[in-house]
Amino acid sequence: MALSLSNFLYAIALLTTLASANTVTYDWDIGWTRANPDGLAERPVMGINGQWPLPLLNVTKGDRIIVNLNNKLGNQSTSMHFHGMFQNGTNEMDGPVGVTQCDVPPGSSFKLNFTIDQPGTYWYHSHTRGQYPDGLRGQLVIHDPENPYRGQFDAEVPLTLSDWYHDEMPGLLSSFVSYKNPTGAEPVPNSALMNDTQNLTLPVEPGRTYFFRLTNIGAFAGQYFWIEGHTMKIIEVDGVYTEPAEASMIYVTAAQRYGFLVTMKDYSATNFAMMGSMDTDLFDVVPSTLNYNVTGWLMYDDAAPQPAAAILDEFEPLDDFSLVPQDGMEFAFFNDITYTTPVVPTLYSALTTGANASDVTVYGDYTNAYVLEKDQIVEIILNNDDGGKHPFHLHGHNFQAVYRGPDNDGHYNPANMTDFPAIPMRRDTLMVRPSANFVIRFKADNPGIWFFHCHIDWHLATGLAATMIEAPLEMQKTLSIPDDHLAVCAQGGVPVAGNAAGKTIDVLDLKGQNRSVKPLPAGFTAKGIVALVFSCASAFLGMAVIAWYGAMPLSSKELAAAKRFVAKHGGVRE
Ligand SMILES: *[C@@H]1O[C@H](CO)[C@@H](O)[C@H](O)[C@H]1NC(C)=O
Ligand SMILES: *[C@@H]1O[C@H](CO)[C@@H](O)[C@H](O)[C@H]1NC(C)=O
Ligand SMILES: *[C@@H]1O[C@H](CO)[C@@H](O)[C@H](O)[C@H]1NC(C)=O
Ligand SMILES: *[C@@H]1O[C@H](CO)[C@@H](O)[C@H](O)[C@H]1NC(C)=O
Ligand SMILES: *[C@@H]1O[C@H](CO)[C@@H](O)[C@H](O)[C@H]1NC(C)=O
Ligand SMILES: *[C@@H]1O[C@H](CO)[C@@H](O)[C@H](O)[C@H]1NC(C)=O
Ligand SMILES: *[C@@H]1O[C@H](CO)[C@@H](O)[C@H](O)[C@H]1NC(C)=O
Ligand SMILES: *[C@@H]1O[C@H](CO)[C@@H](O)[C@H](O)[C@H]1NC(C)=O
Ligand SMILES: *[C@@H]1O[C@H](CO)[C@@H](O)[C@H](O)[C@H]1NC(C)=O
Ligand SMILES: *[C@@H]1O[C@H](CO)[C@@H](O)[C@H](O)[C@H]1NC(C)=O
């Protein structure tokens, strides 16, 4: 039978597509090694195959990634999350412990297997409680053969910023959540790092344009970033291409990424400082010995000196809210509970509770769970009653940022908001300002359990998180859990079926569920409150009030008040 020309061309096209998609396999032994990136204190760090800093991963859009992860730490469990990946159809590969999988105990192995269909600048890190600041975080770049800005740059420059602690996380966490720290002051980092070092030199050639891919892989501190004498042209945020936007300074919260082009001068006899400066507003105290700045240099001339950066009196970063996604995606129309890891990882509850998986009760009282229907447009209003800044990250999606209040804006007031951007900025991590609010929207088109949390690791470890249960009945049809994932649960003694309390018969009975920490001793003040209000094009979903750190379970009075609120606002809200 003769193959028609169009079929033949189709077959060729298919072959070409297939040929470009590779499988990239990483065999990783996660183990301890030692490092001294700020030159002040050598310390144990978590490395991969004996290496630290962790390897830069550079794959191509369409590739399949296989990670064979062997936990060789000996004394801690671990996990791995590829930050920003939609994991569309592979929710079980997302990484957060207690949400989509169990912790991988020492001596155990775990396989990640997923494809990458999105370009841009990302990172990967442990998603085990409070672990990645001990070094288990690295940069991931997804090369895009169809980058709309291809041809406009000569080379890529991957770059990271980070805060750095000399002490290990388990000790820092226990002194953080302690009666000796009644105000909830987060541990202040010891140093700022650029590419896991300081005094970095980047050889540059006059007249060339470099595509910088900058990621803040830190635990806590946002950083201001600027390059003296040069302008940044922003073309990507968190994997979303933007219309070009010029900036002389940007602010990068923990977990955010920026892609920008920098064109070198045609001639220069001097070198230029490239600066990161940790946002000290976040610190309760700034020790006099702390150098919260980190310097690197664009090196035009190796023989020339490395000039100290000029001292700035004020930081004036670009407002990321003003960025416009290049794809022109338009505006989408449409409880004092501390997150506590459930007994059964939430994904496993969704897959093993049958039709009850649509009942939010199944997920327990301490996971801030919201059941979303497939393809709903979901709006999250986040009201920050705390005086600090918080970078919030949603797994499995990027979201439209439709409003962000200025400092002290108070609670979002829908009544006086009419002016939303026509093409709102889209990203996966967004900062809410002190005592202010933001409003984000996304379409629930990715069945799975997606964590929504503050990316300051101190706040996540103390429960500033919520769980989106997206189309659970759909998940039951499309997702399955690999045997090796179930095996690590068995090794860790974690049940893999039933509701948040591990009940498989009466899945609405939560007796035995994990609860948030007991009230702390007298004098202890909860650090802050963040309230989430969710709504959809079709229905109001309810609200959660998350008080983290110090965080006590809801009193029966508070619980009743929250329920009344939901009942009152439970009607239709277009
Ligand atoms: C970087 O340079 C500064 C200033 O000379 C110095 O204090 C610091 O120790 C250097 N950092 C490293 C990691 O060598
Ligand atoms: C930062 O580190 C990565 C990975 O080690 C390396 O590929 C890159 O060139 C470094 N960036 C700079 C500016 O030196
Ligand atoms: C685990 O072992 C490392 C490396 O020996 C050590 O630095 C660390 O303190 C240990 N951590 C715990 C929690 O025991
Ligand atoms: C990864 O997943 C794909 C799709 O399910 C499967 O065909 C393949 O065998 C898996 N690869 C490995 C190494 O497990
Ligand atoms: C990643 O690899 C591609 C080639 O596949 C290369 O063009 C690009 O410069 C690399 N990016 C980084 C950040 O190393
Ligand atoms: C860090 O840099 C900023 C901006 O130039 C400056 O205001 C500040 O004094 C510097 N701090 C230290 C400790 O050097
Ligand atoms: C919740 O339950 C699991 C066992 O399934 C346990 O390992 C974990 O420590 C508990 N977490 C909390 C915060 O109580
Ligand atoms: C919204 O309305 C409130 C009360 O009516 C007012 O205090 C506030 O300034 C308004 N906010 C904006 C952004 O217009
Ligand atoms: C997930 O895949 C479905 C089906 O291909 C698609 O409609 C949806 O937009 C995707 N969602 C995300 C967040 O990638
Ligand atoms: C939901 O759970 C309850 C209590 O366990 C059970 O009686 C009921 O049959 C379940 N409903 C469905 C639809 O599975």
Side-chain angles (χ1 to χ4, degrees):
M1 199 178 74
L3 193 65
S4 78
L5 182 61
S6 66
N7 275 348
F8 178 72
L9 289 177
Y10 175 72
I12 296 274
L14 203 65
L15 274 178
T16 321
T17 321
L18 290 178
S20 63
N22 293 312
T23 296
V24 184
T25 304
Y26 301 107
D27 293 311
W28 283 352
D29 285 355
I30 311 288
W32 291 100
T33 178
R34 296 183 72 78
N36 185 3
D38 62 2
L40 297 174
E42 190 184 278
R43 51 153 292 173
V45 292
M46 292 180 181
I48 291 180
N49 300 336
Q51 184 190 340
W52 195 94
L54 301 192
L56 165 81
L57 310 185
N58 182 3
V59 300
T60 299
K61 183 169 176 251
D63 284 352
R64 177 176 292 280
I65 303 256
I66 310 277
V67 179
N68 295 308
L69 184 154
N70 306 306
N71 181 354
K72 299 278 176 72
L73 290 166
N75 59 5
Q76 286 188 35
S77 294
T78 192
S79 58
M80 195 56 74
H81 168 58
F82 282 71
H83 181 114
M85 295 301 98
F86 296 150
Q87 297 288 9
N88 199 339
T90 49
N91 184 218
E92 71 281 8
M93 303 298 176
D94 194 38
V97 170
V99 181
T100 60
Q101 68 169 75
C102 296
D103 239 334
V104 184
S108 295
S109 298
F110 190 90
K111 183 163 64 185
L112 298 178
N113 175 359
F114 58 93
T115 53
I116 286 189
D117 291 316
Q118 46 192 134
T121 308
Y122 300 89
W123 61 305
Y124 60 101
H125 60 83
S126 156
H127 221 299
T128 291
R129 184 174 185 263
Q131 185 171 69
Y132 79 77
D134 278 339
L136 202 46
R137 77 279 185 288
Q139 200 176 15
L140 165 68
V141 163
I142 304 172
H143 176 66
D144 182 5
E146 261 121 49
N147 181 344
Y149 292 95
R150 68 189 180 280
Q152 295 185 32
F153 56 87
D154 301 291
E156 294 191 19
V157 180
L159 190 65
T160 63
L161 293 170
S162 180
D163 44 24
W164 189 246
Y165 292 89
H166 293 161
D167 294 325
E168 292 175 45
M169 287 300 282
L172 288 173
L173 270 170
S174 55
S175 51
F176 171 49
V177 190
S178 150
Y179 69 92
K180 291 183 183 151
N181 181 31
T183 60
E186 298 85 359
V188 175
N190 297 95
S191 296
L193 302 179
M194 186 180 284
N195 240 26
D196 283 327
T197 185
Q198 293 177 334
N199 309 318
L200 182 75
T201 51
L202 171 63
V204 296
E205 283 177 40
R208 299 190 84 184
T209 297
Y210 296 89
F211 177 16
F212 282 74
R213 292 171 170 280
L214 180 67
T215 306
N216 185 340
I217 59 174
F220 180 21
Q223 294 207 33
Y224 298 96
F225 178 86
W226 68 101
I227 303 175
E228 293 200 335
H230 295 73
T231 304
M232 295 175 263
K233 183 155 92 179
I234 295 170
I235 59 168
E236 180 221 326
V237 280
D238 297 358
V240 177
Y241 291 117
T242 64
E243 294 294 343
E246 304 230 316
S248 52
M249 179 183 284
I250 52 178
Y251 181 86
V252 196
T253 73
Q256 284 184 331
R257 291 89 61 207
Y258 282 87
F260 52 86
L261 305 181
V262 183
T263 298
M264 299 302 121
K265 297 180 185 303
D266 286 335
Y267 169 80
S268 175
T270 54
N271 300 318
F272 289 86
M274 173 164 73
M275 295 291 296
S277 182
M278 295 196 291
D279 178 2
T280 55
D281 286 357
L282 295 159
F283 306 157
D284 283 43
V285 287
V286 184
S288 59
T289 52
L290 173 64
N291 180 6
Y292 50 85
N293 295 328
V294 60
T295 313
W297 284 274
L298 299 187
M299 299 296 290
Y300 282 87
D301 182 354
D302 250 357
Q306 297 167 350
I311 301 291
L312 306 180
D313 302 328
E314 236 179 322
F315 295 106
E316 286 172 283
L318 171 103
D319 180 358
D320 61 332
F321 197 78
S322 66
L323 296 170
V324 178
Q326 212 202 28
D327 59 16
M329 188 192 284
E330 290 175 355
F331 177 65
F333 291 101
F334 28 8
N335 16 21
D336 289 358
I337 293 174
T338 301
Y339 176 87
T340 305
T341 311
V343 170
V344 175
T346 304
L347 173 60
Y348 302 171
S349 291
L351 296 184
T352 59
T353 51
N356 274 314
S358 297
D359 184 338
V360 73
T361 312
V362 160
Y363 305 101
D365 293 326
Y366 299 94
T367 56
N368 292 312
Y370 289 90
V371 175
L372 310 177
E373 276 168 40
K374 184 148 192 319
D375 294 335
Q376 272 179 322
I377 303 293
V378 181
E379 179 177 273
I380 300 180
I381 298 168
L382 188 142
N383 290 315
N384 176 18
D385 287 349
D386 178 63
K389 302 171 188 167
H390 301 278
F392 270 84
H393 171 48
L394 176 63
H395 288 219
H397 291 275
N398 45 42
F399 47 74
Q400 294 184 323
V402 299
Y403 179 74
R404 176 165 59 191
D407 284 19
N408 304 311
D409 192 39
H411 282 201
Y412 171 70
N413 182 352
N416 56 8
M417 266 311 302
T418 46
D419 190 21
F420 291 114
I423 301 173
M425 198 253 310
R426 233 165 54 244
R427 63 187 318 164
D428 63 41
T429 307
L430 182 71
M431 185 185 79
V432 63
R433 297 205 166 93
S435 306
N437 60 76
F438 69 50
V439 181
I440 59 175
R441 289 187 179 189
F442 65 96
K443 185 174 180 185
D445 60 0
N446 189 7
I449 310 291
W450 306 115
F451 218 17
F452 178 64
H453 62 89
C454 176
H455 220 295
I456 290 179
D457 221 27
W458 304 111
H459 300 168
L460 174 57
T462 46
L464 189 44
T467 322
M468 304 294 127
I469 318 286
E470 198 168 314
L473 302 185
E474 198 63 29
M475 270 184 246
Q476 293 175 354
K477 290 184 240 160
T478 56
L479 300 177
S480 62
I481 307 301
D483 289 343
D484 67 317
H485 289 209
L486 299 175
V488 299
C489 300
Q491 283 148 15
V494 177
V496 294
N499 69 8
K503 296 273 196 304
T504 52
I505 311 290
D506 184 357
V507 298
L508 304 179
D509 173 11
L510 289 166
K511 191 136 39 87
Q513 70 180 321
N514 278 348
R515 289 169 178 275
S516 47
V517 294
K518 290 274 170 284
L520 287 154
F524 199 94
T525 49
K527 176 85 173 162
I529 304 239
V530 172
L532 308 175
V533 182
F534 292 80
S535 60
C536 306
S538 54
F540 186 85
L541 283 178
M543 63 102 77
V545 183
I546 308 179
W548 80 101
Y549 174 63
M552 303 141 210
L554 264 192
S555 70
S556 50
K557 208 171 126 197
E558 288 160 330
L559 196 59
K563 284 189 175 147
R564 272 200 308 278
F565 182 95
V566 173
K568 187 168 162 215
H569 296 81
V572 172
R573 210 190 95 132
E574 289 305 332

